[in-house]
Amino acid sequence: MPTMARLGIIGGGQLALKLIDPAHRLGHHATILDPTSKCPASQVAECHVIAQFDDPSAIRELARWCDFLTIEIETVDATTLTALEKTGTIINPTGDTIAVLQDKYVQKSMLAASGVRTPRFSEVWALSDLQAAGEEYGYPFIAKARRGGYDGRGNAVVTSADHCRDVWDRFVGVPLMAEEYISFRAELATIVVRTSRDDLIVYPIVETQQQDNICHKVIAPAAIDPGIAREARTLALNAIRLLRGRGAFGVEMFLSTDNTVFLNEIAPRVHNSGHYTIEACQVSQFEQHIRAVTGMEPGTTVMHEPFAVMVNILGDRNGRAAPQGVEDALALEGVAVHIYGKRETKIARKMGHITVVGSDLNTVLALATEARRRITI
Ligand SMILES: Nc1ncnc2c1ncn2[C@@H]1O[C@H](COP(=O)(O)OP(=O)(O)O)[C@@H](O)[C@H]1O
Ligand SMILES: [Mg+2]
């Protein structure tokens, strides 16, 4: 199997930083494409193409350099990727898959057409479409920018018929969709990987806890009925079966108050909800992705510890990053700290994360919370 492969990664954020670690361990070299010269993965990449993610000529330059091309961010120029695949570049996931997932409306339409359960949703081209969604789904419902949204930026909870106009004005010129609001007991997630053999493998179902639409905490495995976990697993596998391309996919789901599992969205890449796998699994989501996209054999997705908790270290001010308290956090037994090396901190920016594993969930939760309390950035 190929070692010493030249891997190209579009994006140089924390996900690329964590992908390059197992890539190096397996004997590969990595080049990134990212507009920020001091991005997290620039610390470890062999070469760095400094360009926008959707710059066609820069993507072509990266492709010329590498044997295998992959992504860590979905806002890339998918058309150029599809064109490059036709000339023999090996790209995973594929350009057509990325294109479908880039547009939340196209993504949900594809899922719903194949019977994957999603919240009800509709296209929005005019204020009247928002109002019609309110009539149909009731209030609140959610308006979502179809493209480019992340960490909840791009979403608005629409609370009343009057509020429709405010939301419409706020998103002027942005293609939108409307979506039924799901009252959920929990948000669930998992990582599904299409391996180099084209099999699908799946990590445990985890619970993700969002505050202000951004992931704060992940509990692995989710404390849910085994039947519900099986249903979530099947839903995630059925969704990824519809998409081409190898590598990791992050699958976000809702478990509603009446115990129905809905698919929220799919990311064509490694995912924040799978960071815990670095410490909790023999083969992390990152290594699994590297193995899949470089033609190597897959590994196990099983956790080797009963529980893991991951807490994000989000910025709480705007300015130069100054991590403090890392050693105090490390003084707690079993606490792993990851700082991404971003130069600037911003409110709610993902600056690092903490993972704790162990056999007692309450102890693991308490340690993770205390470790997070000790760090400022
Ligand atoms: N239909 C919905 N019902 C209830 N909450 C939702 C719905 N859609 C999104 N949310 C909330 O907003 C968060 C972010 O929405 P999501 O569509 O996943 O966008 P992003 O691309 O920003 O992650 C979700 O994790 C969830 O907490
Ligand atoms: Mg999401």
Side-chain angles (χ1 to χ4, degrees), residues 104 150-152 187 213 252 264-265 271:
K104 288 184 192 226
Y150 67 100
D151 292 344
E187 290 191 68
N213 288 305
E252 300 175 12
N264 174 29
E265 62 170 352
H271 194 255

Side-chain angles (χ1 to χ4, degrees), residues 276-287:
Y276 77 94
T277 60
I278 296 175
E279 284 82 13
C281 299
Q282 191 183 321
V283 181
S284 74
Q285 63 163 349
F286 300 101
E287 178 169 344

Side-chain angles (χ1 to χ4, degrees), residues 74 104 108 118-120 140-145 148-155 157 178-184 187 208-215 252-254 262-266 269 271 350:
E74 54 271 41
K104 288 184 192 226
K108 282 222 160 70
T118 69
R120 290 179 290 161
F141 73 93
I142 309 225
K144 293 189 177 183
Y150 67 100
D151 292 344
R153 292 162 225 211
N155 286 3
V157 178
E179 194 172 295
E180 168 191 15
Y181 188 91
I182 303 293
S183 293
F184 53 78
E187 290 191 68
T208 66
Q209 295 179 355
Q210 272 61 232
Q211 276 170 28
D212 299 327
N213 288 305
I214 182 166
C215 178
E252 300 175 12
M253 293 165 278
F254 300 122
F262 294 88
L263 202 133
N264 174 29
E265 62 170 352
I266 300 168
R269 52 169 171 76
H271 194 255
K350 289 173 179 162

